[in-house]
């Protein structure tokens, strides 16, 4: 983008652009210090039954991971579903009853990034600069692994599904390996399964902005500080992302991988999803791919609502079948 610094012109239309609006509020945040791991609270910040919030230890002293949870039905065989949301700092709490409709039997844990309130749908411009500077894939993966360990330490094991929404899909291989024999499968929701840098390259090409991706790569290769903000994310975030490998660890093991995506997704090109399915076909992972005609990045379909309820029912059926079923065609 000739004529101006990268920081002034956030790149919109990429999968991780949910945080790009952080730059719009950076001037307002200025030098105001935020307390460690502060969460944006508001009048609707209290959980609503049967959902509750708990904060569990993260990867370092003082780091806490906010978790939205709902207990399982009395059925001892009910599965556990661990959900990793996408980018940004919006909590899933306000939409949880509708989003997880059809999954009432299961125990649900939603792992939220530090600086996030699970019960507030904070807009990207409200996340704050502290969130942007803290938000790095390597740090978030370490926090999520620590949180998962802490949650499991006081709970009996259950058959467990891991669900990664958009950017959350990047963490699934590491979390899946940590679960061992209790894992039933990994679920990619609106996540391509390719290495994230490749997905971003394809999207930049799709929206006619390849020069913006080139600028991010050049900034990441520079001597600038990890804390510098570029296109809404810290350089530390971009440096982590460029080195992040997802396709190989996601498909190298014989676990079940579900991929649900919409062909009207505005943030991830169909080419990325199709390429993942094509290149993963010869890998050890067992694939259950479902393409939803007309569905957007949130898997909403015009006139038909969201697809998630069908996914949850399919996961419950697959659990009862020992993981042998892929759900509806």
């Amino acid at each position: 983008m000739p004529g101006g610094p990268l920081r002034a012109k956030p790149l919109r239309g990429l999968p991780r652009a949910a945080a790009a609006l952080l730059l719009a509020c950076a001037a307002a945040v200025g030098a105001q210090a935020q307390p460690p791991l502060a969460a944006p609270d508001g009048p609707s910040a209290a959980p609503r039954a049967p959902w509750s919030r708990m904060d569990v230890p993260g990867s370092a002293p003082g780091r806490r991971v906010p978790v939205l949870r709902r207990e399982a039905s009395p059925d001892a065989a009910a599965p556990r579903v661990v959900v990793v949301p996408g980018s940004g700092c919006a909590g899933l709490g306000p939409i949880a009853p509708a989003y997880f409709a059809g999954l009432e039997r299961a125990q649900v844990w939603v792992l939220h990034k530090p600086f996030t309130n699970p019960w507030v749908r904070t807009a990207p411009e409200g996340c704050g600069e502290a969130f942007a500077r803290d938000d790095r894939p390597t740090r978030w993966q370490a926090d999520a692994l620590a949180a998962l360990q802490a949650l499991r330490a006081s709970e009996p094991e259950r058959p467990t599904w891991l669900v990664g929404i958009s950017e959350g899909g990047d963490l699934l291989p590491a979390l899946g390996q940590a679960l061992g024999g209790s894992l039933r499968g990994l679920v990619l929701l609106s996540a391509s399964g390719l290495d994230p840098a490749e997905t971003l390259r394809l999207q930049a090409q799709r929206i006619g902005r390849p020069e913006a991706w080139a600028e991010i790569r050049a900034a990441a290769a520079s001597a600038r500080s990890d804390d510098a903000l570029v296109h809404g994310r810290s350089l530390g975030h971009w440096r982590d992302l460029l080195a992040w490998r997802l396709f190989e660890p996601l498909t190298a093991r014989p676990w079940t991988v579900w991929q649900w995506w919409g062909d009207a997704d505005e943030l991830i090109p169909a080419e990325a999803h199709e390429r993942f399915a094509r290149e993963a076909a010869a890998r050890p992972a067992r694939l259950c791919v479902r393409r939803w005609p007309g569905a957007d990045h949130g898997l909403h379909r015009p006139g038909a609502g969201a697809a998630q309820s069908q996914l949850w029912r399919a996961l419950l059926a697959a659990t009862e079948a020992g993981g042998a079923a892929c759900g509806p065609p």
Side-chain angles (χ1 to χ4, degrees):
M1 299 176 194
L6 291 176
R7 176 168 174 159
K9 299 181 179 180
L11 173 60
R12 304 180 192 279
L14 294 188
R16 293 155 194 274
L21 288 178
L22 285 171
L23 296 187
C25 70
V29 172
Q32 296 176 14
Q34 296 194 26
L37 305 189
D41 293 315
S44 61
R48 302 187 185 106
W51 295 87
S52 62
R53 169 185 174 166
M54 64 183 301
D55 291 348
V56 298
S59 59
R63 293 189 67 80
R64 307 290 291 179
V65 175
V67 178
L68 184 74
R69 64 182 290 158
R70 192 196 62 206
E71 295 311 314
S73 70
D75 179 2
R80 173 179 295 149
V81 178
V82 179
V83 181
V84 186
S87 62
C89 62
L92 282 190
I95 65 171
Y99 194 90
F100 294 105
L103 198 59
E104 282 73 19
R105 281 184 48 225
Q107 182 183 59
V108 180
W109 295 342
V110 186
L111 310 182
H112 288 78
K113 293 178 181 179
F115 290 92
T116 300
N117 189 316
W119 210 254
V120 177
R121 293 294 291 170
T122 308
E125 64 269 23
C127 293
E129 204 168 327
F131 174 87
R133 297 191 192 283
D134 185 77
D135 183 23
R136 295 185 61 161
T138 51
R139 185 176 291 145
W140 174 217
Q141 179 170 278
D143 283 335
L145 284 168
L148 186 61
Q149 180 181 9
L151 287 164
R152 295 174 66 211
S154 59
E155 299 268 357
E157 288 292 349
R158 293 179 180 271
T160 301
W161 295 87
L162 284 173
V163 177
I165 304 171
S166 190
E167 180 184 289
D170 296 351
L171 271 58
L172 295 192
L175 296 178
Q177 188 169 354
L179 285 172
S182 64
L183 179 68
R184 291 299 177 269
L186 311 177
V187 183
L188 298 167
L189 287 188
S190 298
S192 78
L194 300 180
D195 293 349
E198 179 61 10
T199 300
L200 283 166
R201 185 191 69 80
L202 290 172
Q203 175 67 355
Q205 186 177 58
R206 173 199 192 189
I207 65 175
R209 298 290 301 284
E211 80 289 348
W213 182 233
E215 289 171 347
I216 289 172
R217 292 177 62 89
S222 74
R224 295 172 64 185
S225 167
D226 279 348
D227 286 341
L229 295 182
V230 174
H231 289 302
R233 312 304 281 265
S234 72
L235 269 182
H237 178 96
W238 294 122
R239 286 164 177 153
D240 281 1
L241 181 144
L242 286 166
W244 200 267
R245 297 295 172 260
L246 178 61
F247 178 80
E248 174 67 24
L250 189 62
T251 61
R253 298 170 64 93
W255 45 34
T256 298
V257 176
W258 292 40
Q259 185 191 44
W260 283 35
W261 61 281
D263 63 8
D265 190 330
E266 68 280 15
L267 299 183
I268 299 182
E271 177 186 354
H273 294 293
E274 293 167 349
R275 194 173 116 190
F276 171 79
R278 186 170 61 251
E279 295 181 2
R283 307 285 292 173
R286 179 170 178 266
L287 297 180
C288 296
V289 177
R290 175 68 190 267
R291 168 183 167 273
W292 288 90
D296 61 16
H297 191 63
L299 289 180
H300 293 100
R301 300 160 294 161
Q308 283 85 347
S309 60
Q310 293 192 45
L311 168 66
W312 308 138
R313 288 193 289 270
L315 286 187
L316 291 175
T319 305
E320 294 173 355
C326 273

